[in-house]
């Protein structure tokens, strides 16, 4: 049975990815930095939970060091602190989680993935393409994730490890709840989204599942919008 670890895998897009992979027969470790998130996660066959702080090298080493097999890493751990990110300490914290945390996990996973010919999917964003004035750290970190993905893909292709990224659009998650409850903001978002609706975490999960499959065996180094057409407008 193939095994995957999904960081940030107990809520939002990460949970959608974890459930999609489990539904397809994968053994999935859904990791989270928070005990409360682990406790709140609804159990499902094929998914186990694990405490993991992607900003703590010792935590990363402990989790990946205990794995005997790994076929896929999906980096979904991330934070956005709207309105606070012009504080330099907050800026550094967001980059440490979203960008450096992604790199920590990629480096820890790579030796295991080489053995299986495995794959990595990172989580970029629409803000990898354009800036977010209220979220400079989030924007910078997600731009970095896109470029990191391309760099790792080029370096690790000869080892048989594929590295891609998704760039989710407006998805129904805890992170977008405030926007979804604001009629004016929702109207603006829907006006630019050709499909005229919010995406669902499981729809992102289905695409990640394809990227990790043999059907995507010649795909690496790419960043894929999953956004209902938002970036095309």
């Amino acid at each position: 049975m193939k095994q995957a670890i999904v960081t940030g895998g107990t809520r939002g897009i990460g949970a959608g990815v974890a459930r999609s992979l489990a539904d397809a027969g994968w053994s999935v470790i859904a990791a989270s930095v928070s005990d409360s998130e682990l406790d709140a996660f609804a159990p499902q066959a094929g998914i186990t939970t694990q405490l993991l702080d992607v900003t703590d090298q010792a935590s990363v080493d402990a989790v990946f060091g205990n794995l005997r097999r790994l076929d896929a890493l999906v980096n979904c751990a991330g934070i956005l602190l709207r309105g606070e990110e012009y504080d330099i300490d907050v800026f550094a914290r967001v980059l440490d989680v979203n960008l450096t945390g992604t790199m920590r996990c990629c480096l820890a996973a790579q030796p295991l993935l080489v053995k299986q010919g495995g794959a990595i999917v990172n989580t970029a964003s629409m803000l990898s393409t354009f800036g977010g004035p209220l979220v400079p750290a989030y924007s910078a970190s997600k731009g970095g994730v896109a470029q990191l993905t391309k760099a790792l893909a080029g370096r690790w292709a000869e080892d048989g490890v594929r590295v891609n990224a998704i760039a989710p659009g407006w998805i129904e998650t805890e992170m977008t709840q405030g926007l979804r409850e604001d009629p004016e903001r929702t109207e603006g978002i829907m006006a630019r989204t050709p499909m005229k609706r919010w995406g669902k975490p499981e729809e992102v999960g289905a695409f990640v599942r394809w990227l990790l499959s043999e059907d995507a065996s010649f795909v690496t180094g790419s960043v894929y919008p999953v956004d209902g057409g938002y970036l095309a407008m």
Side-chain angles (χ1 to χ4, degrees), residues 72-169:
L73 165 66
V74 185
N75 283 302
C76 291
I79 58 173
L80 178 152
L81 298 173
R82 186 175 288 107
E84 302 178 43
E85 295 182 7
Y86 282 90
D87 179 288
I88 196 63
D89 292 329
V90 175
F91 187 94
R93 179 188 170 202
V94 172
L95 261 68
D96 196 18
V97 175
N98 295 357
L99 179 56
T100 309
T102 292
M103 182 59 164
R104 285 191 187 96
C105 291
C106 287
L107 290 171
Q110 192 262 358
L112 293 162
L113 295 172
V114 168
K115 295 178 182 179
Q116 305 299 329
I120 296 171
V121 175
N122 295 323
T123 302
S125 169
M126 293 182 295
L127 297 187
S128 299
T129 301
F130 52 80
L134 295 179
V135 285
Y138 186 83
S139 301
S141 70
K142 293 303 183 176
V145 167
Q147 294 306 106
L148 175 64
T149 295
K150 297 172 186 179
L152 295 182
R155 181 62 181 268
W156 291 345
E158 64 185 24
D159 298 324
V161 176
R162 297 184 299 106
V163 188
N164 292 288
I166 52 170

Side-chain angles (χ1 to χ4, degrees), residues 1-6 18 21-30 45-48 69-72:
M1 180 182 294
K2 288 188 174 183
Q3 178 158 291
I5 183 165
V6 182
L21 292 176
D23 288 344
W26 287 65
S27 173
V28 181
I29 299 170
I47 302 179
T48 59
R69 171 177 182 154
L70 187 66
D71 297 272

Side-chain angles (χ1 to χ4, degrees), residues 10-17 19 126 168-181 186 189-190 193 195-205 226-228:
T10 60
R11 61 184 296 182
I13 288 172
V17 170
R19 296 190 187 284
M126 293 182 295
W170 301 104
I171 310 298
E172 292 180 356
T173 67
E174 296 89 340
M175 189 177 288
T176 63
Q177 183 174 351
L179 295 174
R180 288 184 284 117
E181 292 174 349
T186 294
I189 290 168
M190 291 302 104
T193 303
M195 295 188 75
K196 303 302 180 188
R197 66 176 177 84
W198 296 81
K200 300 182 183 301
E202 56 267 30
E203 291 178 304
V204 182
V226 187
D227 66 354

